[in-house]
Amino acid sequence: MNLFPDDRASELRELFFESAAELLQSLNDEGLQLEKRPKDEELLRQVRRTVHTLKGDSAACGFTELSDLAHLLEDVLRPEVAAAAKSALAEVVLIAADTFSSLLSAYRGNLQPPAGEELCQQILSLTRKPAKTVRYKLQARFLWSEYEQMVVADALGRGETVYNIAFRIDPHCPMRGAAMQLIRNVLQECGRLLAIAPDQSTLSHDLDVVEASLASEHTPEWVDKKCRIPSVIEEILVQQASLRKESEPLTDDVLDIFPDVAGPEDADSGPPVTAEEIPAPYVAGERPATAAPTLPAESPAISFSGMAENLLRVDAERIDAVLNLVGELIIAKSMLHQAVNAFDKSFPKDPLRGRFADAMAFQARILNDLQKSVMKIRMVPVEHLFRRFPRVVRDVAKSCGKEVSLVVTGQDTDLDKSILDMLAEPLAHLVRNCVDHGIETPVERINAGKPAQGTVRLNAYHQGNQIVIEVEDDGRGIDRAKLVAKAVDREIIAAADAAQLSEQELLNLVFHPGLSTAEQVTAISGRGVGMDVVRTVLNRLKGTVNIATAPGKGTKFFLKVPLTLAIIKALLFRVGGRVYAVPLASVVEITRVARSQIHNVDNHDVIQLRDDVLALVHLHGLNRQANSATKMFVVVTTLGDRKFGLVVDHLVGEEELVIKALDDQLVATDLVSGASILGDGTVVLILNIASVVAKLGRSQLTMGATA
């Protein structure tokens, strides 16, 4: 049911998803802090406020599954529960963050939301009463989660016979975990297991009572006899369940599970639980009492709690549209500038020349300010990306049995949001690789004289017109010999060529598709695909990635990307009658050489540039033409820590270009990263230097080192 007017439902949903994403990130952060400070009552209240806000916002949008689960989670976020749960509460909060994220993804895609069974079981494990006071409700057992009640109700609704069964574990049973598995096995032999508690992940050494719901065609006596496992089960109770009618109230009658357990009149066990005391989400077929009110159609505004009122949320596509219009204005400015220059040449003494010049200068200043303002709107702190990784490090380290801390610096550094979004995947690969493949186990670190806890560092800072992001670990470092051996074994390089590789060329082998030095493939790494993704994305961003490593001390990755991909300053030149451009930030210098100064070494052309030997890339290969000129311009560019010379015919000059994306159907090559239009209407292709060097260079070694 749609709780909102049709013309506002879509706007509200998007507003909710943005707000919920921020709340989930806060929940992740708070869960990690709660793991370190489980007794911090103020932190616990903060977590409860976050969950309460998420509950209210989701209920307002009609997302009842999320609202119900948040309501259940609120019940365990109390000081008395937290004191007993200790570190287990933090685990439940983190599981809740994952569950809520899955629900949001389902809502976005209009898919069936997941039931959140694991979260319900975890909450149940914290709220369950001690075994000696466990009670069994004949008609509706309120300790079952809502999901479990739905499963049982569905089976009853189809006419199946359902038994609620309680087992008491023999106190002399040596292995309670094995007992749980035996109970599960025998129940599955008796019929279809609908629900069982406790969950396998929450078993404890003092397990005393196991309760289950079973759909079976057998009689209660047969099930009772089948489930009496010698030396494992001391007592058993089998009770047939029934489907409660909507109009039938919950009975207060309770039945002792075992004859020797105190009854309702015993002061230790407390009074029986009444229907009024049963939390609404636990009762099948009912909804929480805090139902979301319908928003009046005349409501002037929609506001979610926890959102700052001085913030204006604008869709990124709208900002891109404004930036595109600014780009068109820049092109128009270039056209007008050329027209004024033509007028100046034709009428050098006309008094209007000065007025045109003043108008052009004023326009250029305003347009420059407008461009900067729009760019600032697109800029977001790197913190928005870095905040995801404490949880990644924690989960990967836990799955690997390692102790790893994350240190983050430079999170205030601003970066274009489109670039930030594209960096999320490669950074995630690098961080997971550092934890899983770089950091040693605690035993290995102690034996190596290191602290048991490893460290992963993330840092970001400006460097000219670029942003540098460093990902560093203090682990074992990259084994160069193993890396080369793997590359030779996979026939990526020849054994004879391995000795000629420079340090950076050797390390760059890790970015080759399918190459991994991991001893075994895990769910985290070892397939050799993650590092290839890193290089692919960085090339797409016109960025670079470099590696520095030291055996036994660790590895550092340097990711360099431009501040923005929308507008760049570029160097224009002609090759074979066509105009091309490269980012000016990549140009080191320009020189002119005679053909006699070009030498051939190892099947590729080089020149002597002062004390360096510079490899040349002939751009005539773009047009499949030969360069017959006796003198050529060489544009010296950087790619990582290496320099290359691009051989061109003529220089055109510097220009501020608005990058236009090219349709893959029009340009089926990665040699070009975009296009732009000059003031006279000339179309300029912007070269992807990494791809140009890789594909036009003649040396296979150069391709392996720089691609």
Side-chain angles (χ1 to χ4, degrees):
M1 184 181 76
N2 188 2
L3 299 175
F4 304 97
D6 292 338
D7 59 342
R8 308 199 56 192
S10 177
E11 178 186 353
L12 177 64
R13 280 172 58 93
E14 289 306 313
L15 188 61
F16 164 74
F17 288 134
E18 282 194 38
S19 174
E22 294 179 3
L23 290 170
L24 284 188
Q25 183 59 60
S26 297
L27 194 61
N28 268 303
D29 297 342
E30 293 158 0
L32 294 175
Q33 295 176 40
L34 196 62
E35 198 169 42
K36 299 175 183 177
R37 311 196 309 272
K39 297 182 180 179
D40 191 329
E41 293 188 6
E42 177 56 35
L43 178 59
L44 186 65
R45 284 192 291 270
Q46 185 177 339
V47 176
R48 189 176 174 88
R49 284 194 296 269
T50 301
V51 174
H52 182 78
T53 302
L54 190 61
K55 180 188 75 172
D57 291 354
S58 56
C61 286
F63 297 138
T64 53
E65 297 86 357
L66 178 53
S67 179
D68 288 353
L69 286 173
H71 183 79
L72 289 176
L73 182 59
E74 273 188 307
D75 290 340
V76 302
L77 295 174
R78 301 190 302 269
E80 61 272 19
V81 178
K86 298 180 181 179
S87 61
L89 186 60
E91 184 70 28
V92 172
V93 171
L94 293 175
I95 291 174
D98 292 340
T99 304
F100 295 161
S101 179
S102 299
L103 285 166
L104 289 174
S105 297
Y107 293 144
R108 275 187 177 274
N110 293 319
L111 303 175
Q112 179 66 31
E117 181 178 5
E118 182 185 7
L119 177 59
C120 290
Q121 292 286 0
Q122 292 289 343
I123 294 174
L124 183 62
S125 70
L126 296 183
T127 57
R128 182 179 297 278
K129 296 180 180 179
K132 71 172 291 184
T133 61
V134 170
R135 306 250 174 224
Y136 179 76
K137 187 165 288 294
L138 290 173
Q139 300 294 339
R141 185 178 180 278
F142 65 86
L143 287 180
W144 288 127
S145 70
E146 184 180 12
Y147 171 78
E148 291 165 335
Q149 290 187 44
M150 290 173 61
V151 172
V152 173
D154 180 67
L156 289 169
R158 292 202 301 266
E160 296 184 67
T161 301
V162 177
Y163 299 110
N164 290 320
I165 309 173
F167 302 85
R168 183 176 183 181
I169 306 297
D170 191 322
H172 303 293
C173 180
M175 297 181 63
R176 302 300 172 98
M180 183 68 179
Q181 188 58 48
L182 289 172
I183 293 172
R184 185 183 290 271
N185 293 343
V186 75
L187 286 172
Q188 290 173 344
E189 293 177 8
C190 295
R192 184 164 63 93
L193 184 59
L194 304 177
I196 189 168
D199 184 72
Q200 193 75 23
S201 62
T202 59
L203 289 179
S204 62
H205 296 295
D206 58 350
L207 176 66
D208 189 29
V209 174
V210 175
E211 297 161 295
S213 186
L214 176 78
S216 175
E217 298 177 352
H218 301 286
T219 64
E221 294 75 18
W222 188 93
V223 173
D224 184 295
K225 184 177 180 180
K226 181 72 173 178
C227 291
R228 292 185 179 274
I229 307 172
S231 302
V232 175
I233 303 302
E234 185 181 53
E235 298 288 346
I236 185 172
L237 173 68
V238 180
Q239 175 70 48
Q240 184 170 342
S242 62
L243 187 62
R244 180 175 64 88
K245 297 179 181 179
E246 289 296 326
S247 59
E248 180 183 348
L250 286 174
T251 176
D252 290 340
D253 295 334
V254 293
L255 178 68
D256 290 338
I257 294 180
F258 309 114
D260 59 338
V261 176
E265 67 281 356
D266 194 337
D268 290 339
S269 55
V273 179
T274 63
E276 287 76 13
E277 296 172 337
I278 299 175
Y282 289 119
V283 181
E286 297 185 8
R287 282 295 170 201
T290 56
T294 303
L295 183 71
E298 65 274 8
S299 176
I302 299 173
S303 175
F304 287 110
S305 53
M307 294 174 59
E309 295 182 0
N310 62 337
L311 294 179
L312 177 64
R313 297 179 182 273
V314 181
D315 191 282
E317 292 184 356
R318 297 186 181 182
I319 300 176
D320 290 340
V322 174
L323 185 62
N324 185 63
L325 292 175
V326 172
E328 297 296 333
L329 286 175
I330 292 175
I331 295 174
K333 181 190 73 172
S334 178
M335 296 172 62
L336 185 58
H337 183 71
Q338 290 188 2
V340 170
N341 287 341
F343 179 85
D344 191 29
K345 292 179 180 179
S346 301
F347 306 97
K349 297 182 180 180
D350 196 297
L352 289 177
R353 290 174 57 250
R355 295 175 61 182
F356 282 149
D358 292 341
M360 284 292 299
F362 178 77
Q363 182 204 48
R365 181 172 61 83
I366 296 299
L367 191 54
N368 186 56
D369 291 343
L370 177 61
Q371 177 188 332
K372 289 181 179 179
S373 297
V374 177
M375 292 305 303
K376 285 182 179 179
I377 296 175
R378 288 172 56 101
M379 294 292 181
V380 293
V382 180
E383 179 188 14
H384 289 271
L385 180 57
F386 283 2
R387 286 183 65 189
R388 310 178 187 182
F389 297 116
R391 178 70 190 278
V392 173
V393 169
R394 179 255 186 199
D395 290 348
V396 175
K398 187 176 181 181
S399 66
C400 298
K402 299 177 180 180
E403 299 177 14
V404 185
S405 66
L406 178 66
V407 178
V408 177
T409 55
Q411 55 265 48
D412 294 333
T413 305
D414 288 338
L415 185 61
D416 191 310
K417 188 181 184 302
S418 62
I419 298 180
L420 199 72
D421 292 340
M422 293 182 69
L423 283 175
E425 186 178 8
L427 272 181
H429 281 298
L430 290 177
V431 170
R432 284 197 295 263
N433 187 74
C434 286
V435 178
D436 182 49
H437 198 45
I439 301 292
E440 311 95 330
T441 63
V443 174
E444 290 174 330
R445 292 181 64 84
I446 292 173
N447 292 337
K450 297 181 177 181
Q453 186 181 65
T455 303
V456 173
R457 290 182 171 84
L458 285 174
N459 183 30
Y461 53 89
H462 290 277
Q463 190 178 80
N465 292 324
Q466 291 183 312
I467 291 288
V468 180
I469 297 178
E470 299 177 353
V471 184
E472 180 182 8
D473 68 72
D474 64 348
R476 58 174 58 93
I478 297 177
D479 190 328
R480 296 167 175 80
K482 183 185 292 187
L483 182 62
V484 172
K486 286 272 188 177
V488 172
D489 181 61
R490 297 287 181 89
E491 298 182 351
I492 296 172
I493 60 172
D497 297 331
Q500 302 179 18
L501 292 176
S502 67
E503 173 75 4
Q504 197 58 227
E505 289 171 343
L506 185 152
L507 294 175
N508 281 338
L509 289 172
V510 302
F511 299 116
H512 198 283
L515 182 62
S516 174
T517 57
E519 296 295 338
Q520 59 182 357
V521 174
T522 68
I524 302 169
S525 66
R527 294 177 175 83
V529 295
M531 301 303 286
D532 177 43
V533 170
V534 175
R535 184 183 63 180
T536 301
V537 173
L538 265 293
N539 284 347
R540 195 180 305 147
L541 290 173
K542 306 177 190 68
T544 60
V545 54
N546 294 317
I547 308 174
T549 186
K553 294 184 178 180
T555 304
K556 181 184 289 188
F557 295 88
F558 300 86
L559 281 67
K560 295 183 180 180
V561 295
L563 285 174
T564 177
L565 296 178
I567 299 173
I568 63 170
K569 290 185 177 180
L571 175 69
L572 278 61
F573 49 78
R574 290 186 180 273
V575 178
R578 294 184 180 177
V579 181
Y580 298 94
V582 293
L584 196 60
S586 302
V587 178
V588 178
E589 61 178 299
I590 301 172
T591 185
R592 196 172 187 186
V593 298
R595 183 168 294 277
S596 59
Q597 295 176 274
I598 300 177
H599 308 280
N600 190 275
V601 178
D602 292 336
N603 296 321
H604 62 271
D605 290 345
V606 299
I607 61 171
Q608 182 76 29
L609 185 62
R610 292 183 290 278
D611 296 332
D612 296 328
V613 176
L614 186 70
L616 299 181
V617 177
H618 294 272
L619 294 186
H620 278 80
L622 295 171
N623 301 326
R624 299 181 181 179
Q625 298 178 357
N627 188 356
S628 58
T630 57
K631 280 200 171 186
M632 295 162 285
F633 288 98
V634 175
V635 179
V636 182
T637 61
T638 58
L639 189 61
D641 64 339
R642 301 197 62 184
K643 295 180 181 179
F644 295 90
L646 305 180
V647 180
V648 304
D649 293 344
H650 305 285
L651 298 177
V652 176
E654 299 178 13
E655 191 80 31
E656 193 173 46
L657 299 181
V658 179
I659 300 178
K660 302 288 186 180
L662 296 175
D663 193 326
D664 292 339
Q665 297 179 351
L666 298 176
V667 180
T669 177
D670 58 354
L671 296 176
V672 176
S673 59
S676 187
I677 303 174
L678 299 182
D680 60 357
T682 302
V683 176
V684 179
L685 295 180
I686 302 169
L687 299 180
N688 184 340
I689 297 178
S691 296
V692 167
V693 170
K695 294 193 174 183
L696 297 187
R698 298 179 180 178
S699 170
Q700 184 63 37
L701 292 177
T702 302
M703 292 173 65
T706 62

